[in-house]
Amino acid sequence: MRDATGGGAIVIPVYNEEKNIRTVVEEIRENGIDWDIIAVDDGSTDNSRKVLESLPVTVIPHPVNLGYGAAIQTGLRHAVSRGYEPVVLMDADGQHVPSEIHKLLAELKQDTDIVIGSRILGKSAEYRIPLLRRMGITFFSSVAKTLGGAKIYDVTSGFQVMRRNVAKFLAEEYPVDFPDAEVIIALGLKKFRIREVPAKVRKREHGTSMYSNLGRALYYPFKSLLASIIVLLRLIREKE
């Protein structure tokens, strides 16, 4: 485990990514980023844990699968407790391009609290968001703008760089299930400075996305809309 000596950390939630996570970690290192990589193994049932233990990362295991948001929250809490700044969030499936971290970090210096790596603003030849999912993203972008006042086009992007004050806030407030629009709404209502920039994204080479499950795909819009409204009501009550 590395000590926090003024550097940052990269939080990666991992669930059944045995065929992808090694490449992700190696590519991060190849891009000259020697920060602590905090890999939260969210109860994987494949060999992800074994692969992680052979890599130069800090492994935090969940005994069972608690969900993407819970894994993010665990990683953020560890990063905050260790004093890391800034904190990068990225996925373990290999779709986020580690070299893009430098671009997001450069934007973070522009009087910004959190930078979102956007697939909507960018035009990647390697990846196209499926039509139905893109329509959902557009809808929840409008929801986030209406309820939270933050105009972010890619509200489902898990590729983010943030300052410690944002990491500290999200470490306590991160939704455990589908942490998309409700996170942007909460950040907007708290007046954090949010910037969105284009980011290259690749196709997943191995495994399947959690959104490929039909049941989860149908459940997502209803749950996310309800959660967004709850976030709004809770934060309004806190101001009273």
Side-chain angles (χ1 to χ4, degrees):
M1 182 180 296
R2 298 166 185 264
D3 290 324
T5 54
I10 301 174
V11 173
I12 306 178
V14 181
Y15 179 67
N16 290 350
E17 295 289 357
E18 63 177 354
K19 295 181 179 180
N20 295 312
I21 189 58
R22 181 180 297 277
T23 300
V24 171
V25 172
E26 290 177 348
E27 192 172 348
I28 290 171
R29 297 297 185 226
E30 289 169 0
N31 277 275
I33 303 172
D34 63 355
W35 293 349
D36 188 10
I37 298 174
I38 304 167
V40 182
D41 179 35
D42 189 32
S44 294
T45 57
D46 64 358
N47 288 319
S48 293
R49 174 76 178 277
K50 184 176 180 180
V51 173
L52 286 170
E53 289 175 345
S54 70
L55 297 172
V57 303
T58 297
V59 182
I60 303 178
H62 284 171
V64 296
N65 180 242
L66 299 178
Y68 176 84
I72 290 289
Q73 189 175 56
T74 294
L76 288 177
R77 286 179 174 176
H78 179 81
V80 170
S81 70
R82 298 285 293 175
Y84 290 118
E85 185 174 23
V87 178
V88 177
L89 299 184
M90 64 183 299
D91 293 344
D93 59 10
Q95 289 190 282
H96 296 153
V97 181
S99 62
E100 295 288 274
I101 293 174
H102 298 293
K103 178 195 296 183
L104 271 62
L105 288 172
E107 291 294 331
L108 193 66
K109 297 177 182 179
Q110 306 300 316
D111 196 30
T112 305
D113 293 311
I114 179 169
V115 179
I116 310 294
S118 176
R119 298 159 296 178
I120 304 298
L121 297 182
K123 294 183 179 180
S124 173
E126 299 182 60
Y127 181 76
R128 289 288 185 273
I129 301 174
L131 178 60
L132 288 178
R133 189 175 176 196
R134 187 172 184 125
M135 290 171 62
I137 293 172
T138 300
F139 171 72
F140 281 106
S141 172
S142 298
V143 171
K145 171 62 175 177
T146 300
L147 299 183
K151 182 57 178 177
I152 300 298
Y153 291 93
D154 191 357
V155 294
T156 69
S157 174
F159 197 13
Q160 306 171 7
V161 176
M162 65 191 70
R163 297 188 186 277
R164 189 172 184 273
N165 60 338
V166 177
K168 186 176 181 179
F169 170 72
L170 292 180
E172 301 302 325
E173 300 291 337
Y174 217 82
V176 298
D177 199 352
F178 292 102
D180 297 326
E182 54 263 51
V183 170
I184 302 301
I185 291 169
L187 292 173
L189 291 173
K190 286 291 185 178
K191 304 302 180 183
F192 285 113
R193 299 164 297 179
I194 311 171
R195 185 184 294 262
E196 183 180 23
V197 298
K200 295 179 183 178
V201 179
R202 300 178 292 218
K203 291 182 180 179
R204 170 192 277 270
E205 293 188 5
H206 305 286
T208 57
S209 167
M210 65 178 181
Y211 295 99
S212 63
N213 180 288
L214 179 60
R216 291 174 69 87
L218 294 175
Y219 166 68
Y220 167 75
F222 300 103
K223 181 270 170 190
S224 191
L225 181 58
L226 178 61
S228 298
I229 295 172
I230 291 173
V231 167
L232 174 64
L233 295 175
R234 178 171 53 80
L235 292 176
I236 290 176
R237 179 173 294 181
E238 288 178 0
K239 293 180 177 181
E240 294 178 350

